[in-house]
Amino acid sequence: MKKIVASNFKATHTRKSTKEFIDDVNGYLKESEISNDVFIFPAATALDSFEVNENLTIGAQNAYPTKSGSFTGEIGTIHLDEFGIKTILIGHSERRHILGESQKEIVIKYNYFKAMGYKIIYCFGEPLEVKNCGMTETLGYIWEQFDGIDLNYDNLILAYEPVWAIGTGISATSEDIAIIHKKIKKKINKPLLYGGSVKVCTLQDILEVPNVDGVLVGTASWDVDDFKKMIYIASKMDKDSKKLTCNTEE
Ligand code: PGA
């Protein structure tokens, strides 16, 4: 399976810079003929009907589980339909831990977008205090984040993103990722991404970890040249395992 590369813009990039970023990535995919699946999740105000290559998907970082209605500050599926968007992130740690989304609310959202046939990238991961309690507690915490989630859903991609690694510059070690990904893959046969402080320089090592099918990247993906380097590195993983340098020159 070709490695997946996804960029989560969070609350960065304007409408103008998002368009420039997407056009740039799209042009790169076209000229390089790289066929790995690439996802970009812009801010809601920057969504639009982008004409992109088959393997480039634009998704929503979030939406309310509704078509439309009185939900101040939210968007519903009419807003996503306007741009043909059928992909969404659900369960991201910033929504769980900063915006206070409960597992119950996440399940409602998951079921709604599942019923609408969306591709769902479902995120989960443990906070530092849980990690520090050991592997049994960490896995127990992760399984609770699967409570109520239909893991047999066809259009599902999973993303393991330890909370303590997100936006901190401290990525999980290859050993940590290997253990968790193996345990998850044993139970759930879905594409499984890793996310949390992935950088251009660490990407190849992470993609080489068994059971890592790709990455979901925030901070280090916001520079378009770096994101293109990541796509390049991921595309080479399928062809040769030769160590690539950080500037991707062979
Ligand atoms: P980060 O974010 O790469 O900035 O750690 C990852 C994510 O939140 O998906």
Side-chain angles (χ1 to χ4, degrees):
M1 176 186 174
K2 291 194 172 179
K3 306 290 184 187
I4 297 166
V5 187
S7 171
N8 176 5
F9 279 8
K10 310 189 183 191
T12 67
H13 277 300
T14 60
R15 192 167 175 77
K16 182 169 180 280
S17 68
T18 295
K19 184 175 178 342
E20 287 163 1
F21 188 106
I22 291 172
D23 285 349
D24 198 339
V25 171
N26 199 45
Y28 176 66
L29 289 176
K30 225 178 243 172
E31 88 198 22
S32 63
E33 294 182 7
I34 288 172
S35 58
N36 296 57
D37 283 329
V38 175
F39 293 85
I40 297 173
F41 294 90
T45 57
L47 296 177
D48 210 334
S49 303
F50 297 101
E51 279 195 21
V52 288
N53 271 17
E54 224 187 323
N55 60 323
L56 174 58
T57 302
I58 310 302
Q61 292 176 25
N62 181 48
Y64 202 70
T66 186
K67 189 168 173 224
S68 64
S70 299
F71 305 102
T72 302
E74 298 285 341
I75 59 169
T77 51
I78 57 162
H79 306 99
L80 300 176
D81 288 348
E82 195 176 8
F83 305 126
I85 287 167
K86 277 287 192 183
T87 301
I88 188 165
L89 288 179
I90 295 182
H92 190 277
S93 92
E94 284 150 12
R95 297 216 55 88
R96 291 179 192 266
H97 299 287
I98 301 177
L99 284 310
E101 261 180 42
S102 66
Q103 186 64 22
K104 205 171 147 208
E105 287 165 324
I106 288 168
V107 168
I108 291 170
K109 194 175 276 189
Y110 186 94
N111 287 337
Y112 183 85
F113 286 97
K114 178 187 132 189
M116 306 294 282
Y118 276 61
K119 182 174 285 287
I120 297 173
I121 298 193
Y122 185 71
C123 308
F124 56 91
E126 80 289 356
L128 189 58
E129 61 271 24
V130 174
K131 174 189 163 53
N132 288 342
C133 290
M135 191 50 74
T136 310
E137 283 75 6
T138 299
L139 288 169
Y141 187 93
I142 288 172
W143 300 138
E144 278 178 21
Q145 292 184 322
F146 293 137
D147 273 355
I149 300 296
D150 174 10
L151 297 166
N152 293 317
Y153 178 47
D154 276 346
N155 228 347
L156 171 63
I157 295 176
L158 298 171
Y160 169 55
E161 298 204 301
V163 179
W164 48 272
I166 295 180
T168 58
I170 306 161
S171 172
T173 63
S174 293
E175 291 72 29
D176 283 341
I177 300 170
I179 295 168
I180 303 271
H181 275 234
K182 189 176 173 196
K183 298 267 186 202
I184 293 165
K185 276 280 187 175
K186 232 175 155 178
K187 286 205 178 192
I188 313 161
N189 184 24
K190 293 289 172 189
L192 177 55
L193 313 183
Y194 167 77
S197 295
V198 175
K199 300 186 186 87
V200 174
C201 278
T202 57
L203 179 63
Q204 186 174 358
D205 285 344
I206 290 170
L207 289 177
E208 275 172 355
V209 174
N211 299 309
V212 172
D213 299 312
V215 284
L216 174 56
V217 193
T219 320
S221 69
W222 299 337
D223 178 284
V224 73
D225 291 328
D226 285 345
F227 190 55
K228 287 189 291 185
K229 281 179 195 165
M230 290 183 174
I231 294 169
Y232 174 78
I233 291 169
S235 75
K236 289 289 170 191
M237 299 292 298
D238 312 310
K239 296 189 185 120
D240 62 60
S241 56
K242 190 161 61 125
K243 193 84 190 161
L244 297 164
T245 60
C246 279
N247 62 13
T248 70
E249 283 163 15
E250 290 186 86

